[in-house]
Amino acid sequence: MLSLGMTLAVGGTAMAEQVSLTVDNSNMQVEGDLVSFDGTRYVVSIPNVGEVQIAADGAECSGPGCPALVFEEGAEVTLDALSGNSTVTGTMIDFADGVFLIQTVAAVMRVPADSVTCTGPGCPTLEVIMPASESQPEAVVAEETPPVRLSADLVMVGSDNVGEDLMPLVMEPLAELWGANVSDPIELPDDIAQYIFTPIGGGDPFVMEVESNDSEIGFDRLVEGTADIAMASGPPTQSQINALAAQGRGNLLDPSQEYIIGVDSVLMTVHNTNPVDALSRQQLVSIYTDQTRNWSQVGGPNLTIMPGARDGGSARRNFENWAFGQERDLSPGTFELDRGRDMRNFVQDNQGAIGYSISDNIGDTKPIDLILDCGVVTEATPFKSKAEEYLLGRRIRLYVDNQNPKPEVRQLVNFMISPAADEYVDESGYFSLGIIEDDRALARLTDAALIGQPTDIGRSVQREVATQLRGASRLSLTFRFPTDEFALDSKALRDLDRLVNYMARPENARREFIFVGFADSVGPYVYNIQLSRNRAEQVLQRARIHPNAGPLRGVNLSAVGLSEAAPVSCNDNAYGRSRNRRVEVWVR
């Protein structure tokens, strides 16, 4: 048994390091260099005296040479109070700063070491230091044991990129929000990480578990009740929506349950020395079916093309559904890769490589533009990703049910959609919902007015754009709508909050904001003019009556409808039409 009523300094274990030993809590001190420690006695070399032996029992050690306290994490311990009136039994989680962290059957407990004695295999012991020799190591170090999975108070499951790249960045700000200190992640098998939040003012620790795997698994676990929050890079299936609703746990698409925390793009990437800047869908199909094998066939160098593809996941589904119209088997010439990081390294390391990576995984590779069948060019820029107009874009989401009583769940998701989280979303490699301006958008809009339209209509739209938007810049925030409707979805409602706050900034007080509505090509052109204007007016009016709209009384607001002109995607498929049913916000 090791009594921890005395203080044992935790220090290094190097030989010939200085120590100071206070014996039997008296004024007697021995100072010198530690020669060895066998668990029962110290051997200390004192200048001008020589080596002396000091019994470890009752001696307090301080200084860089002191042997360290080590413990077996996950092993059983029994803590008996020195007062004799209580006993705690459980497994050892941590021992730091003189405090035990113990997992009992009921809870995680913090117990000061100077109030108890410890028995059991998990108790801290002093690391043994023996004299160095050719046949004997300096120290006998306790064998590392695997960490123990704690009972979690909040469980997040789903997208590996959200769990591994974004969530670790927000643990410190969440700890500040909750008035706690947070531990380093406890890494467990199956891509599970646990974080222990210890309240600064005292109280029981709070354990958060983040399990990083796949969006589909996150939804399934939320439905079955073994996850509090699902992390996803895409929406739930209708069957998942129905399954949660059947339990009386709400609608996953309701704004109170769906939280859009950022956006992402599946970017086509090449080696950063490759001069090719853009490829069409047909060219990519030819590459991924082994018909085009050399970069010189698509305007590049005389170099063999090495196409890379993921062995599964949403990035592959996004690419294949766009390029081929369906998921498909890989061609024989395609290099199959397991994870996003493998794809990044593959393209970085091979001059002839091409692949697709989500924005937080592109590393030192070059994203390229995509040329759509209808002639629209979708640029690989942060602005286009924020505006959700790079072709292979995705929304990054968190989902909850409507029955979860844990206050930390709502606090977490509300933090993640707030501007306070933007810097962490951007740092992770995703694109936050923070608003940026593009002063080059007007030229692109003018050029796009001719796509898919008779020349006379295209020229008319160009003239209207020149009149209505002269000198204006476009904001990255874009509102999108269902077919033949102008209702706002969950992301649009929260985007409205951001837009009103942006418009109310003092530096924007004298600026003009122009809401520009668009439609897809379904229906008569004249009907779509009115529909697109109705959409613009809807967003404008929602901004005027917003609870935070007080400072906007002096701001000039106007609305324009441009029908189906100036598409940002092709109207020959459902996805492209969904991109074109939009309201853009311009400012000058």
Side-chain angles (χ1 to χ4, degrees):
M1 180 176 70
L2 173 66
S3 173
L4 291 171
M6 62 180 179
T7 300
L8 293 173
V10 179
T13 60
M15 297 301 299
E17 292 268 1
Q18 189 172 15
V19 297
S20 177
L21 300 175
T22 301
V23 182
D24 293 330
N25 294 320
S26 68
N27 292 327
M28 177 182 173
Q29 285 192 319
V30 175
E31 296 185 354
D33 292 332
L34 182 65
V35 176
S36 67
F37 175 71
D38 64 2
T40 61
R41 66 185 186 280
Y42 297 92
V43 177
V44 180
S45 175
I46 302 175
N48 302 319
V49 175
E51 294 183 356
V52 297
Q53 298 185 16
I54 306 294
D57 189 24
E60 178 180 342
C61 183
S62 61
C66 290
L69 278 174
V70 295
F71 59 91
E72 183 180 348
E73 190 174 5
E76 188 172 331
V77 296
T78 297
L79 305 180
D80 294 300
L82 296 179
S83 61
N85 58 8
S86 65
T87 297
V88 174
T89 299
T91 57
M92 174 68 78
I93 298 173
D94 194 11
F95 178 77
D97 300 326
V99 176
F100 290 104
L101 196 62
I102 304 297
Q103 172 73 64
T104 69
V105 174
V108 177
M109 300 186 63
R110 302 173 78 249
V111 182
D114 59 5
S115 66
V116 297
T117 57
C118 181
T119 56
C123 291
T125 57
L126 285 170
E127 187 177 38
V128 177
I129 303 176
M130 299 298 291
S133 69
E134 293 183 0
S135 60
Q136 180 173 288
E138 287 186 23
V140 178
V141 182
E143 184 178 348
E144 188 174 333
T145 57
V148 175
R149 186 174 180 179
L150 308 177
S151 175
D153 299 291
L154 191 157
V155 178
M156 302 181 68
V157 182
S159 167
D160 58 340
N161 293 292
V162 178
E164 293 175 356
D165 297 333
L166 174 55
M167 294 312 301
L169 300 178
V170 301
M171 292 303 163
E172 287 291 348
L174 285 175
E176 185 175 349
L177 177 68
W178 291 332
N181 293 316
V182 62
S183 68
D184 290 334
I186 302 171
E187 303 291 348
L188 298 160
D190 301 321
D191 297 311
I192 294 171
Q194 291 191 326
Y195 300 84
I196 302 174
F197 292 82
T198 305
I200 293 174
D204 293 335
F206 180 86
V207 180
M208 182 190 299
E209 179 173 293
V210 180
E211 182 177 338
S212 304
N213 38 54
D214 185 78
S215 298
E216 292 296 316
I217 297 175
F219 287 123
D220 290 342
R221 292 279 299 279
L222 183 66
V223 169
E224 71 182 29
T226 56
D228 299 293
I229 301 174
M231 306 176 289
S233 56
T237 63
Q238 191 59 51
S239 63
Q240 291 163 336
I241 295 171
N242 294 343
L244 197 80
Q247 300 175 39
R249 295 164 62 200
N251 177 6
L252 281 174
L253 301 185
D254 188 273
S256 66
Q257 296 183 234
E258 180 183 52
Y259 293 79
I260 313 298
I261 61 176
V263 293
D264 184 28
S265 291
V266 181
L267 298 164
M268 296 304 304
T269 63
V270 297
H271 193 271
N272 58 18
T273 63
N274 193 326
V276 172
D277 294 318
L279 289 171
S280 69
R281 185 189 67 84
Q282 297 96 325
Q283 287 172 323
L284 286 168
V285 167
S286 182
I287 287 171
Y288 276 88
T289 54
D290 297 337
Q291 297 175 58
T292 299
R293 298 173 179 268
N294 193 288
W295 282 107
S296 62
Q297 296 174 258
V298 290
N302 182 18
L303 190 66
T304 300
I305 297 177
M306 301 172 61
R310 292 282 302 276
D311 61 359
S314 58
R316 176 173 170 181
R317 289 193 295 272
N318 276 29
F319 169 68
E320 291 181 351
N321 286 332
W322 167 67
F324 300 99
Q326 60 181 351
E327 296 178 48
R328 61 189 298 278
D329 294 332
L330 299 178
S331 61
T334 302
F335 293 82
E336 189 171 356
L337 304 159
D338 183 32
R339 298 173 69 87
R341 293 169 180 79
D342 300 329
M343 177 74 79
R344 175 192 62 203
N345 294 335
F346 170 75
V347 178
Q348 282 182 169
D349 296 342
N350 298 282
Q351 285 187 306
I354 182 172
Y356 44 81
S357 293
I358 62 173
S359 54
D360 68 333
N361 260 337
I362 62 172
D364 189 22
T365 65
K366 186 176 82 171
I368 60 173
D369 298 343
L370 299 178
I371 305 170
L372 311 189
D373 294 352
C374 59
V376 171
V377 177
T378 176
E379 298 98 346
T381 63
F383 183 92
K384 281 293 187 179
S385 290
K386 278 177 169 281
E388 300 183 276
E389 288 169 10
Y390 187 81
L391 183 68
L392 305 179
R394 308 182 300 179
R395 292 179 175 183
I396 307 306
R397 317 155 193 249
L398 301 179
Y399 289 86
V400 300
D401 69 20
N402 66 0
Q403 300 295 320
N404 197 309
K406 301 173 184 177
E408 293 86 0
V409 170
R410 290 293 172 181
Q411 291 165 357
L412 187 153
V413 293
N414 285 328
F415 171 78
M416 293 303 300
I417 62 170
S418 74
D422 286 350
E423 63 177 292
Y424 306 105
V425 175
D426 289 331
E427 184 181 348
S428 74
Y430 293 122
F431 299 103
S432 74
L433 303 182
I435 299 173
I436 61 175
E437 296 184 19
D438 184 4
D439 58 6
R440 300 172 300 171
L442 188 57
R444 288 197 291 269
L445 182 67
T446 302
D447 292 341
L450 298 172
I451 295 175
Q453 299 298 329
T455 301
D456 58 337
I457 292 180
R459 294 299 183 195
S460 175
V461 171
Q462 286 182 329
R463 288 192 294 271
E464 185 168 7
V465 167
T467 300
Q468 301 283 357
L469 301 177
R470 181 180 291 111
S473 298
R474 183 185 167 190
L475 303 185
S476 57
L477 175 149
T478 304
F479 298 88
R480 287 191 164 80
F481 302 86
T483 301
D484 206 30
E485 293 183 17
F486 39 88
L488 302 181
D489 66 10
S490 62
K491 179 178 182 294
L493 292 172
R494 295 195 178 100
D495 281 349
L496 194 65
D497 297 337
R498 287 180 177 258
L499 175 62
V500 170
N501 291 334
Y502 183 85
M503 295 165 69
R505 292 179 184 176
E507 64 268 26
N508 292 328
R510 298 185 181 276
R511 304 181 78 183
E512 177 185 6
F513 288 85
I514 309 161
F515 295 81
V516 185
F518 299 85
D520 60 31
S521 62
V522 177
Y525 185 87
V526 174
Y527 173 82
N528 285 336
I529 290 178
Q530 188 59 49
L531 176 61
S532 63
R533 183 174 180 83
N534 287 345
R535 286 170 173 159
E537 289 282 1
Q538 167 77 353
V539 181
L540 185 155
Q541 293 304 325
R542 293 292 291 266
R544 283 195 190 280
I545 65 174
H546 192 277
N548 298 334
L552 302 185
R553 292 188 179 94
V555 177
N556 187 3
L557 306 180
S558 61
V560 178
L562 294 182
S563 189
E564 62 201 54
V568 294
S569 191
C570 296
N571 280 303
D572 60 358
N573 61 83
Y575 175 81
R577 291 191 291 273
S578 74
R579 299 301 86 194
N580 291 329
R581 298 189 296 267
R582 70 195 190 277
V583 168
E584 300 175 356
V585 185
W586 293 68
V587 61
R588 63 183 169 198

mmCIF file of all heavy atoms in Angstrom, residues 497-531:
data_model
loop_
_atom_site.group_PDB
_atom_site.id
_atom_site.type_symbol
_atom_site.label_atom_id
_atom_site.label_comp_id
_atom_site.label_asym_id
_atom_site.label_seq_id
_atom_site.Cartn_x
_atom_site.Cartn_y
_atom_site.Cartn_z
ATOM 1 N N ASP A 497 -30.243 35.571 -40.468
ATOM 2 C CA ASP A 497 -29.682 36.174 -39.256
ATOM 3 C C ASP A 497 -28.314 36.795 -39.546
ATOM 4 O O ASP A 497 -28.032 37.933 -39.158
ATOM 5 C CB ASP A 497 -29.532 35.129 -38.149
ATOM 6 C CG ASP A 497 -30.854 34.533 -37.710
ATOM 7 O OD1 ASP A 497 -31.886 35.181 -37.916
ATOM 8 O OD2 ASP A 497 -30.847 33.404 -37.167
ATOM 9 N N ARG A 498 -27.470 36.037 -40.227
ATOM 10 C CA ARG A 498 -26.124 36.538 -40.540
ATOM 11 C C ARG A 498 -26.195 37.747 -41.470
ATOM 12 O O ARG A 498 -25.432 38.704 -41.315
ATOM 13 C CB ARG A 498 -25.285 35.427 -41.181
ATOM 14 C CG ARG A 498 -24.826 34.347 -40.209
ATOM 15 C CD ARG A 498 -24.015 33.288 -40.931
ATOM 16 N NE ARG A 498 -23.520 32.285 -40.004
ATOM 17 C CZ ARG A 498 -22.265 32.220 -39.543
ATOM 18 N NH1 ARG A 498 -21.392 33.129 -39.920
ATOM 19 N NH2 ARG A 498 -21.896 31.270 -38.713
ATOM 20 N N LEU A 499 -27.086 37.681 -42.456
ATOM 21 C CA LEU A 499 -27.178 38.782 -43.413
ATOM 22 C C LEU A 499 -27.607 40.067 -42.715
ATOM 23 O O LEU A 499 -27.017 41.139 -42.948
ATOM 24 C CB LEU A 499 -28.182 38.427 -44.510
ATOM 25 C CG LEU A 499 -28.464 39.542 -45.529
ATOM 26 C CD1 LEU A 499 -27.202 39.918 -46.275
ATOM 27 C CD2 LEU A 499 -29.564 39.123 -46.493
ATOM 28 N N VAL A 500 -28.629 39.996 -41.869
ATOM 29 C CA VAL A 500 -29.103 41.198 -41.177
ATOM 30 C C VAL A 500 -27.999 41.776 -40.296
ATOM 31 O O VAL A 500 -27.794 43.000 -40.262
ATOM 32 C CB VAL A 500 -30.372 40.870 -40.365
ATOM 33 C CG1 VAL A 500 -30.738 42.031 -39.440
ATOM 34 C CG2 VAL A 500 -31.526 40.554 -41.303
ATOM 35 N N ASN A 501 -27.286 40.928 -39.590
ATOM 36 C CA ASN A 501 -26.185 41.417 -38.753
ATOM 37 C C ASN A 501 -25.086 42.041 -39.599
ATOM 38 O O ASN A 501 -24.473 43.045 -39.206
ATOM 39 C CB ASN A 501 -25.621 40.273 -37.907
ATOM 40 C CG ASN A 501 -26.605 39.811 -36.846
ATOM 41 O OD1 ASN A 501 -27.465 40.576 -36.406
ATOM 42 N ND2 ASN A 501 -26.504 38.557 -36.435
ATOM 43 N N TYR A 502 -24.826 41.468 -40.778
ATOM 44 C CA TYR A 502 -23.817 42.026 -41.692
ATOM 45 C C TYR A 502 -24.269 43.396 -42.216
ATOM 46 O O TYR A 502 -23.497 44.351 -42.258
ATOM 47 C CB TYR A 502 -23.595 41.063 -42.851
ATOM 48 C CG TYR A 502 -22.519 41.474 -43.832
ATOM 49 C CD1 TYR A 502 -21.190 41.159 -43.595
ATOM 50 C CD2 TYR A 502 -22.844 42.167 -44.990
ATOM 51 C CE1 TYR A 502 -20.189 41.522 -44.488
ATOM 52 C CE2 TYR A 502 -21.857 42.539 -45.892
ATOM 53 C CZ TYR A 502 -20.534 42.211 -45.641
ATOM 54 O OH TYR A 502 -19.555 42.582 -46.531
ATOM 55 N N MET A 503 -25.522 43.489 -42.613
ATOM 56 C CA MET A 503 -26.042 44.743 -43.140
ATOM 57 C C MET A 503 -26.054 45.841 -42.078
ATOM 58 O O MET A 503 -25.945 47.036 -42.394
ATOM 59 C CB MET A 503 -27.463 44.531 -43.678
ATOM 60 C CG MET A 503 -27.524 43.585 -44.873
ATOM 61 S SD MET A 503 -29.209 42.999 -45.215
ATOM 62 C CE MET A 503 -29.976 44.493 -45.785
ATOM 63 N N ALA A 504 -26.207 45.447 -40.806
ATOM 64 C CA ALA A 504 -26.308 46.420 -39.717
ATOM 65 C C ALA A 504 -24.953 46.910 -39.219
ATOM 66 O O ALA A 504 -24.909 47.778 -38.333
ATOM 67 C CB ALA A 504 -27.091 45.798 -38.559
ATOM 68 N N ARG A 505 -23.866 46.393 -39.781
ATOM 69 C CA ARG A 505 -22.554 46.891 -39.358
ATOM 70 C C ARG A 505 -22.424 48.381 -39.680
ATOM 71 O O ARG A 505 -22.911 48.839 -40.724
ATOM 72 C CB ARG A 505 -21.446 46.115 -40.069
ATOM 73 C CG ARG A 505 -21.313 44.664 -39.656
ATOM 74 C CD ARG A 505 -20.203 43.994 -40.450
ATOM 75 N NE ARG A 505 -20.095 42.581 -40.161
ATOM 76 C CZ ARG A 505 -19.253 41.746 -40.782
ATOM 77 N NH1 ARG A 505 -18.452 42.215 -41.735
ATOM 78 N NH2 ARG A 505 -19.219 40.475 -40.463
ATOM 79 N N PRO A 506 -21.762 49.141 -38.823
ATOM 80 C CA PRO A 506 -21.638 50.591 -39.062
ATOM 81 C C PRO A 506 -21.024 50.925 -40.418
ATOM 82 O O PRO A 506 -21.441 51.889 -41.068
ATOM 83 C CB PRO A 506 -20.741 51.056 -37.911
ATOM 84 C CG PRO A 506 -20.963 50.048 -36.831
ATOM 85 C CD PRO A 506 -21.183 48.744 -37.527
ATOM 86 N N GLU A 507 -20.059 50.125 -40.872
ATOM 87 C CA GLU A 507 -19.400 50.422 -42.143
ATOM 88 C C GLU A 507 -20.313 50.204 -43.340
ATOM 89 O O GLU A 507 -20.014 50.625 -44.464
ATOM 90 C CB GLU A 507 -18.130 49.579 -42.306
ATOM 91 C CG GLU A 507 -18.348 48.081 -42.381
ATOM 92 C CD GLU A 507 -18.265 47.372 -41.039
ATOM 93 O OE1 GLU A 507 -18.532 48.048 -40.009
ATOM 94 O OE2 GLU A 507 -17.943 46.186 -41.019
ATOM 95 N N ASN A 508 -21.464 49.528 -43.129
ATOM 96 C CA ASN A 508 -22.406 49.283 -44.230
ATOM 97 C C ASN A 508 -23.622 50.204 -44.199
ATOM 98 O O ASN A 508 -24.555 50.040 -44.994
ATOM 99 C CB ASN A 508 -22.882 47.825 -44.195
ATOM 100 C CG ASN A 508 -21.766 46.848 -44.528
ATOM 101 O OD1 ASN A 508 -20.880 47.167 -45.313
ATOM 102 N ND2 ASN A 508 -21.806 45.675 -43.918
ATOM 103 N N ALA A 509 -23.624 51.188 -43.308
ATOM 104 C CA ALA A 509 -24.811 52.009 -43.082
ATOM 105 C C ALA A 509 -25.243 52.780 -44.328
ATOM 106 O O ALA A 509 -26.434 53.020 -44.526
ATOM 107 C CB ALA A 509 -24.563 52.976 -41.925
ATOM 108 N N ARG A 510 -24.315 53.186 -45.165
ATOM 109 C CA ARG A 510 -24.665 54.001 -46.345
ATOM 110 C C ARG A 510 -24.617 53.198 -47.644
ATOM 111 O O ARG A 510 -24.661 53.772 -48.733
ATOM 112 C CB ARG A 510 -23.723 55.200 -46.441
ATOM 113 C CG ARG A 510 -23.807 56.141 -45.247
ATOM 114 C CD ARG A 510 -22.937 57.373 -45.436
ATOM 115 N NE ARG A 510 -23.021 58.238 -44.288
ATOM 116 C CZ ARG A 510 -23.980 59.143 -44.080
ATOM 117 N NH1 ARG A 510 -24.943 59.284 -44.981
ATOM 118 N NH2 ARG A 510 -23.995 59.902 -43.004
ATOM 119 N N ARG A 511 -24.546 51.897 -47.538
ATOM 120 C CA ARG A 511 -24.450 51.075 -48.742
ATOM 121 C C ARG A 511 -25.826 50.613 -49.205
ATOM 122 O O ARG A 511 -26.793 50.619 -48.431
ATOM 123 C CB ARG A 511 -23.538 49.866 -48.496
ATOM 124 C CG ARG A 511 -22.136 50.243 -48.010
ATOM 125 C CD ARG A 511 -21.272 49.031 -47.815
ATOM 126 N NE ARG A 511 -20.765 48.504 -49.074
ATOM 127 C CZ ARG A 511 -20.035 47.402 -49.187
ATOM 128 N NH1 ARG A 511 -19.734 46.699 -48.097
ATOM 129 N NH2 ARG A 511 -19.610 46.989 -50.357
ATOM 130 N N GLU A 512 -25.911 50.217 -50.447
ATOM 131 C CA GLU A 512 -27.157 49.714 -51.024
ATOM 132 C C GLU A 512 -27.073 48.201 -51.193
ATOM 133 O O GLU A 512 -26.085 47.684 -51.737
ATOM 134 C CB GLU A 512 -27.419 50.371 -52.386
ATOM 135 C CG GLU A 512 -28.667 49.849 -53.077
ATOM 136 C CD GLU A 512 -28.838 50.421 -54.475
ATOM 137 O OE1 GLU A 512 -27.916 51.135 -54.941
ATOM 138 O OE2 GLU A 512 -29.879 50.141 -55.093
ATOM 139 N N PHE A 513 -28.100 47.510 -50.745
ATOM 140 C CA PHE A 513 -28.158 46.058 -50.877
ATOM 141 C C PHE A 513 -29.237 45.705 -51.898
ATOM 142 O O PHE A 513 -30.381 46.159 -51.788
ATOM 143 C CB PHE A 513 -28.457 45.402 -49.530
ATOM 144 C CG PHE A 513 -27.298 45.465 -48.568
ATOM 145 C CD1 PHE A 513 -27.102 46.594 -47.780
ATOM 146 C CD2 PHE A 513 -26.408 44.424 -48.474
ATOM 147 C CE1 PHE A 513 -26.037 46.667 -46.902
ATOM 148 C CE2 PHE A 513 -25.326 44.478 -47.599
ATOM 149 C CZ PHE A 513 -25.140 45.607 -46.811
ATOM 150 N N ILE A 514 -28.859 44.890 -52.884
ATOM 151 C CA ILE A 514 -29.743 44.534 -53.986
ATOM 152 C C ILE A 514 -29.976 43.027 -53.955
ATOM 153 O O ILE A 514 -29.022 42.237 -54.016
ATOM 154 C CB ILE A 514 -29.133 44.940 -55.333
ATOM 155 C CG1 ILE A 514 -28.700 46.410 -55.291
ATOM 156 C CG2 ILE A 514 -30.112 44.699 -56.469
ATOM 157 C CD1 ILE A 514 -27.706 46.776 -56.372
ATOM 158 N N PHE A 515 -31.231 42.606 -53.856
ATOM 159 C CA PHE A 515 -31.597 41.195 -53.828
ATOM 160 C C PHE A 515 -31.974 40.793 -55.254
ATOM 161 O O PHE A 515 -32.932 41.335 -55.830
ATOM 162 C CB PHE A 515 -32.761 40.970 -52.868
ATOM 163 C CG PHE A 515 -32.419 41.254 -51.431
ATOM 164 C CD1 PHE A 515 -32.416 42.558 -50.946
ATOM 165 C CD2 PHE A 515 -32.086 40.234 -50.563
ATOM 166 C CE1 PHE A 515 -32.090 42.838 -49.636
ATOM 167 C CE2 PHE A 515 -31.748 40.495 -49.247
ATOM 168 C CZ PHE A 515 -31.747 41.810 -48.778
ATOM 169 N N VAL A 516 -31.211 39.837 -55.821
ATOM 170 C CA VAL A 516 -31.378 39.455 -57.219
ATOM 171 C C VAL A 516 -31.893 38.017 -57.268
ATOM 172 O O VAL A 516 -31.208 37.088 -56.844
ATOM 173 C CB VAL A 516 -30.058 39.582 -58.000
ATOM 174 C CG1 VAL A 516 -30.296 39.290 -59.485
ATOM 175 C CG2 VAL A 516 -29.474 40.981 -57.830
ATOM 176 N N GLY A 517 -33.125 37.838 -57.789
ATOM 177 C CA GLY A 517 -33.746 36.524 -57.834
ATOM 178 C C GLY A 517 -33.571 35.848 -59.179
ATOM 179 O O GLY A 517 -33.482 36.501 -60.224
ATOM 180 N N PHE A 518 -33.531 34.499 -59.136
ATOM 181 C CA PHE A 518 -33.367 33.681 -60.346
ATOM 182 C C PHE A 518 -34.293 32.473 -60.256
ATOM 183 O O PHE A 518 -34.706 32.062 -59.172
ATOM 184 C CB PHE A 518 -31.923 33.197 -60.499
ATOM 185 C CG PHE A 518 -30.901 34.279 -60.641
ATOM 186 C CD1 PHE A 518 -30.341 34.898 -59.525
ATOM 187 C CD2 PHE A 518 -30.484 34.701 -61.900
ATOM 188 C CE1 PHE A 518 -29.392 35.883 -59.655
ATOM 189 C CE2 PHE A 518 -29.532 35.691 -62.044
ATOM 190 C CZ PHE A 518 -28.984 36.287 -60.928
ATOM 191 N N ALA A 519 -34.568 31.886 -61.414
ATOM 192 C CA ALA A 519 -35.364 30.657 -61.505
ATOM 193 C C ALA A 519 -34.603 29.635 -62.339
ATOM 194 O O ALA A 519 -33.592 29.959 -62.973
ATOM 195 C CB ALA A 519 -36.723 30.954 -62.141
ATOM 196 N N ASP A 520 -35.078 28.388 -62.332
ATOM 197 C CA ASP A 520 -34.537 27.424 -63.285
ATOM 198 C C ASP A 520 -35.287 27.590 -64.599
ATOM 199 O O ASP A 520 -36.126 28.492 -64.759
ATOM 200 C CB ASP A 520 -34.609 25.995 -62.732
ATOM 201 C CG ASP A 520 -36.031 25.541 -62.423
ATOM 202 O OD1 ASP A 520 -36.969 26.005 -63.118
ATOM 203 O OD2 ASP A 520 -36.217 24.733 -61.511
ATOM 204 N N SER A 521 -35.036 26.724 -65.567
ATOM 205 C CA SER A 521 -35.606 26.897 -66.907
ATOM 206 C C SER A 521 -36.964 26.225 -67.089
ATOM 207 O O SER A 521 -37.522 26.226 -68.183
ATOM 208 C CB SER A 521 -34.631 26.365 -67.966
ATOM 209 O OG SER A 521 -34.419 24.969 -67.774
ATOM 210 N N VAL A 522 -37.490 25.633 -66.006
ATOM 211 C CA VAL A 522 -38.804 25.001 -66.105
ATOM 212 C C VAL A 522 -39.884 26.087 -66.113
ATOM 213 O O VAL A 522 -39.910 26.958 -65.247
ATOM 214 C CB VAL A 522 -39.033 24.033 -64.928
ATOM 215 C CG1 VAL A 522 -40.431 23.441 -64.996
ATOM 216 C CG2 VAL A 522 -37.975 22.934 -64.930
ATOM 217 N N GLY A 523 -40.791 26.039 -67.088
ATOM 218 C CA GLY A 523 -41.854 27.028 -67.173
ATOM 219 C C GLY A 523 -41.518 28.153 -68.126
ATOM 220 O O GLY A 523 -40.364 28.335 -68.539
ATOM 221 N N PRO A 524 -42.518 28.962 -68.496
ATOM 222 C CA PRO A 524 -42.299 30.065 -69.436
ATOM 223 C C PRO A 524 -41.353 31.112 -68.866
ATOM 224 O O PRO A 524 -41.347 31.379 -67.658
ATOM 225 C CB PRO A 524 -43.710 30.639 -69.643
ATOM 226 C CG PRO A 524 -44.646 29.577 -69.191
ATOM 227 C CD PRO A 524 -43.944 28.823 -68.116
ATOM 228 N N TYR A 525 -40.602 31.738 -69.740
ATOM 229 C CA TYR A 525 -39.615 32.738 -69.331
ATOM 230 C C TYR A 525 -40.294 33.893 -68.596
ATOM 231 O O TYR A 525 -39.809 34.359 -67.548
ATOM 232 C CB TYR A 525 -38.862 33.257 -70.558
ATOM 233 C CG TYR A 525 -37.730 34.217 -70.227
ATOM 234 C CD1 TYR A 525 -36.457 33.744 -69.946
ATOM 235 C CD2 TYR A 525 -37.955 35.593 -70.199
ATOM 236 C CE1 TYR A 525 -35.424 34.625 -69.638
ATOM 237 C CE2 TYR A 525 -36.932 36.477 -69.891
ATOM 238 C CZ TYR A 525 -35.671 35.986 -69.617
ATOM 239 O OH TYR A 525 -34.650 36.861 -69.315
ATOM 240 N N VAL A 526 -41.425 34.362 -69.108
ATOM 241 C CA VAL A 526 -42.114 35.496 -68.488
ATOM 242 C C VAL A 526 -42.606 35.138 -67.086
ATOM 243 O O VAL A 526 -42.511 35.934 -66.144
ATOM 244 C CB VAL A 526 -43.293 35.958 -69.375
ATOM 245 C CG1 VAL A 526 -44.097 37.049 -68.669
ATOM 246 C CG2 VAL A 526 -42.780 36.471 -70.715
ATOM 247 N N TYR A 527 -43.164 33.929 -66.930
ATOM 248 C CA TYR A 527 -43.596 33.482 -65.600
ATOM 249 C C TYR A 527 -42.408 33.465 -64.638
ATOM 250 O O TYR A 527 -42.529 33.873 -63.473
ATOM 251 C CB TYR A 527 -44.220 32.091 -65.701
ATOM 252 C CG TYR A 527 -44.551 31.472 -64.358
ATOM 253 C CD1 TYR A 527 -45.727 31.802 -63.692
ATOM 254 C CD2 TYR A 527 -43.683 30.559 -63.760
ATOM 255 C CE1 TYR A 527 -46.038 31.235 -62.462
ATOM 256 C CE2 TYR A 527 -43.972 29.998 -62.530
ATOM 257 C CZ TYR A 527 -45.151 30.337 -61.887
ATOM 258 O OH TYR A 527 -45.444 29.791 -60.664
ATOM 259 N N ASN A 528 -41.253 32.999 -65.124
ATOM 260 C CA ASN A 528 -40.073 32.903 -64.267
ATOM 261 C C ASN A 528 -39.534 34.275 -63.873
ATOM 262 O O ASN A 528 -38.867 34.409 -62.844
ATOM 263 C CB ASN A 528 -38.994 32.076 -64.952
ATOM 264 C CG ASN A 528 -39.321 30.588 -64.936
ATOM 265 O OD1 ASN A 528 -40.074 30.123 -64.085
ATOM 266 N ND2 ASN A 528 -38.773 29.836 -65.894
ATOM 267 N N ILE A 529 -39.803 35.294 -64.683
ATOM 268 C CA ILE A 529 -39.396 36.640 -64.283
ATOM 269 C C ILE A 529 -40.120 37.024 -62.992
ATOM 270 O O ILE A 529 -39.504 37.501 -62.027
ATOM 271 C CB ILE A 529 -39.708 37.664 -65.393
ATOM 272 C CG1 ILE A 529 -38.777 37.464 -66.590
ATOM 273 C CG2 ILE A 529 -39.566 39.096 -64.853
ATOM 274 C CD1 ILE A 529 -39.050 38.418 -67.746
ATOM 275 N N GLN A 530 -41.429 36.805 -62.954
ATOM 276 C CA GLN A 530 -42.193 37.152 -61.761
ATOM 277 C C GLN A 530 -41.820 36.261 -60.585
ATOM 278 O O GLN A 530 -41.705 36.726 -59.440
ATOM 279 C CB GLN A 530 -43.688 37.045 -62.037
ATOM 280 C CG GLN A 530 -44.559 37.589 -60.898
ATOM 281 C CD GLN A 530 -44.277 39.049 -60.600
ATOM 282 O OE1 GLN A 530 -44.230 39.876 -61.512
ATOM 283 N NE2 GLN A 530 -44.059 39.370 -59.330
ATOM 284 N N LEU A 531 -41.629 34.953 -60.844
ATOM 285 C CA LEU A 531 -41.242 34.030 -59.774
ATOM 286 C C LEU A 531 -39.905 34.445 -59.160
ATOM 287 O O LEU A 531 -39.744 34.472 -57.928
ATOM 288 C CB LEU A 531 -41.147 32.596 -60.318
ATOM 289 C CG LEU A 531 -40.664 31.520 -59.347
ATOM 290 C CD1 LEU A 531 -41.602 31.398 -58.148
ATOM 291 C CD2 LEU A 531 -40.534 30.176 -60.064
#
